[in-house]
Amino acid sequence: MTGLTRDASALPPLALYVHVPWCVRKCPYCDFNSHGVGRAAELPEAEYLAALLDDLDADLPLAAGRRLGSIFIGGGTPSLMSAGFYERFLDGLVRRLPLAEDIEITLEANPGTLERGRFAGYRRAGINRLSLGVQSFQPTQLAALGRIHSGEDAVAAIEEARAAGFDNLNLDLMHGLPEQTPELALDDLERALALAPEHLSWYQLTLEPNTEFHSRPPALPEEEMLWDIQDLGHERLEAAGFVRYEISAYARPGRRSRHNLNYWCFGDYLGIGAGSHGKLSGFDESGRLRIERRWKARQPEAYLRRRHDPRGFVAGHIEVGDDELPLEFAMNALRLVEGVAMRDWPAHTARPLAVLERRLETARNKGLLVEDAQRLQASPQGLLFLNELLALVSESGAE
């Protein structure tokens, strides 16, 4: 991206995503860029650390002087890497980019990949939020999902995280699992609530392309049972004091994920690591909004080789066209329960909202949008049928 403003105040907030591509075993539902290496593998920590920092160096001009508001380290299974790896990475990061004083730094971890004492090292390194991939506490469902931990392992990991000083904890839980009944789904929620997390990501299993589950689908609960699970789960989480602020995200007051909010509010983010994606905004000389999406070499070995390749780490990039901006923005903002202020639409899409007025009226008549002159906000029905709502508010629907 060239010819972009370097006035940080005119650009969206900036976050950083770091991808660690290795895991012990690829789960049959997972469509992320993850590569199973087994339990005994020695990962190339030193080489990967050097590559990440070189990757970041190449992307620094895109930060345009902005402070990082959040960092999310995802995977794969980032908890396969040592605490020393993250200490060295964060030391290198602070020498390259300014960080917000209250920056949120999240590490994804799987209960089955942790050695005792590792959480304390992560906390000392500067990580202040953990996201634990529990998915279920039930042995039958964990086996069906190909998970390598037990419900007891998950409880032990959470207890160790608390002992290490983590006071901001997310638990990932899935529902709509093979052989899952509403009773089992609610039991998972009860067990999670008993552990008092600050945040819960509670989402339905979907069969994604290029996964084992897509090619060999398991038997999943019937649709009516899925609706029952969702309704009962929403009610239980609300009764427990969790606020639903995104389709599948629930938080205690003041504990919403800043990093994910940055995505959903159409903020910018640098992406470093194998297969990572980034989104960067700017303005050309005429003042026209430009948004670029870029992604890095996907295979870990190929990514590491890019350190010595004149092409660098970027495997591809595209500029989001003017006609695509409304859908790009809506796909994120309308996931938020509170939606987006009407006044924000033109700033993010370079299009007046008036061009969509007939389609918005159709969405309201279908019960997919809330009747509010100040906000563009999905109704509870709209959150359930988000794809239909997006088709209405995207540029392809403009008249």
Side-chain angles (χ1 to χ4, degrees):
M1 296 175 77
T2 59
L4 302 183
T5 179
R6 291 297 182 261
D7 179 5
S9 66
L11 296 173
L14 184 68
L16 173 68
Y17 175 75
V18 182
H19 193 75
V20 177
W22 296 285
C23 57
V24 172
R25 184 172 67 196
K26 181 83 169 179
C27 295
Y29 60 86
C30 177
D31 68 337
F32 296 146
N33 182 34
S34 57
H35 303 264
V37 293
R39 287 185 179 273
E42 290 190 16
L43 298 179
E45 286 200 358
E47 294 86 348
Y48 200 66
L49 173 64
L52 286 176
L53 293 176
D54 285 352
D55 192 355
L56 181 60
D57 283 335
D59 278 0
L60 285 181
L62 303 173
R66 288 171 285 178
R67 290 179 178 272
L68 289 180
S70 65
I71 301 167
F72 194 99
I73 304 165
T77 304
S79 53
L80 288 176
M81 303 301 241
S82 69
F85 173 87
Y86 291 112
E87 183 174 5
R88 292 187 293 274
F89 172 72
L90 292 172
D91 284 347
L93 175 66
V94 299
R95 293 196 295 269
R96 290 165 167 83
L97 277 173
L99 310 183
E101 290 184 5
D102 61 346
I103 189 168
E104 173 192 274
I105 305 176
T106 302
L107 178 78
E108 282 188 335
N110 283 340
T113 62
L114 294 168
E115 299 171 2
R116 180 160 293 279
R118 186 168 280 199
F119 276 155
Y122 293 150
R123 188 68 189 89
R124 286 193 299 270
I127 293 162
N128 55 26
R129 183 174 184 270
L130 282 177
S131 181
L132 280 171
V134 175
Q135 314 310 355
S136 177
F137 292 91
Q138 316 293 337
T140 299
Q141 277 66 53
L142 288 170
L145 293 174
R147 305 297 287 174
I148 62 173
H149 70 271
S150 66
E152 291 75 19
D153 290 334
V155 173
I158 293 161
E159 290 174 347
E160 183 169 333
R162 294 303 196 195
F166 282 98
D167 63 359
N168 197 357
L169 184 65
N170 170 64
L171 301 185
D172 273 352
L173 281 179
M174 301 174 76
H175 60 87
L177 305 179
E179 299 183 45
Q180 189 180 56
T181 63
E183 291 76 18
L184 286 173
L186 266 292
D187 185 68
D188 273 344
L189 280 180
E190 292 296 345
R191 294 191 190 199
L193 291 171
L195 296 165
E198 286 69 36
H199 191 283
L200 273 168
S201 297
W202 190 63
Y203 53 96
Q204 184 177 323
L205 172 66
T206 55
L207 306 185
E208 301 291 348
N210 302 315
T211 66
E212 183 181 332
F213 271 5
H214 192 267
S215 58
R216 292 187 294 174
L220 299 179
E222 297 291 337
E223 186 172 350
E224 185 174 341
M225 188 178 291
L226 291 174
W227 290 121
D228 288 343
I229 289 172
Q230 288 193 38
D231 290 343
L232 292 168
H234 295 328
E235 289 176 10
R236 181 65 188 99
L237 288 166
E238 184 176 309
F242 281 83
V243 177
R244 185 190 189 194
Y245 68 98
E246 187 265 347
I247 287 178
S248 58
Y250 300 78
R252 300 282 189 191
R255 293 295 194 165
R256 300 191 301 177
S257 167
R258 292 187 215 163
H259 189 85
N260 287 340
L261 277 173
N262 187 62
Y263 290 150
W264 298 323
C265 293
F266 219 44
D268 281 354
Y269 51 97
L270 300 171
I272 63 172
S276 63
H277 286 241
K279 175 230 169 208
L280 286 308
S281 303
F283 302 89
D284 62 19
E285 289 80 359
S286 68
R288 184 176 68 91
L289 174 70
R290 294 181 57 196
I291 293 177
E292 180 186 86
R293 293 197 178 274
R294 50 169 47 204
W295 54 95
K296 306 299 172 62
R298 182 177 176 85
Q299 294 295 325
E301 296 79 7
Y303 176 81
L304 290 172
R305 288 196 299 270
R306 288 291 188 107
R307 284 192 69 206
H308 311 291
D309 190 319
R311 295 173 296 174
F313 295 95
V314 178
H317 61 93
I318 57 169
E319 182 175 336
V320 180
D322 290 349
D323 290 344
E324 300 168 293
L325 275 174
L327 180 58
E328 286 266 345
F329 180 57
M331 282 175 62
N332 292 279
L334 288 177
R335 292 183 64 91
L336 290 170
V337 172
E338 65 186 18
V340 61
M342 293 283 196
R343 65 177 182 273
D344 291 341
W345 182 276
H348 288 289
T349 66
R351 297 295 175 93
L353 197 57
V355 302
L356 297 176
E357 188 52 46
R358 289 179 60 184
R359 291 288 177 153
L360 296 180
E361 187 61 27
T362 299
R364 293 188 189 100
N365 291 338
K366 289 187 172 187
L368 301 177
L369 280 179
V370 171
E371 294 281 352
D372 189 327
Q374 304 301 317
R375 301 195 67 78
L376 191 65
Q377 181 181 6
S379 66
Q381 185 81 352
L383 290 172
L384 289 174
F385 297 98
L386 187 62
N387 287 340
E388 182 180 352
L389 177 56
L390 291 174
L392 289 172
V393 301
S394 67
E395 184 66 16
S396 62
E399 300 185 23

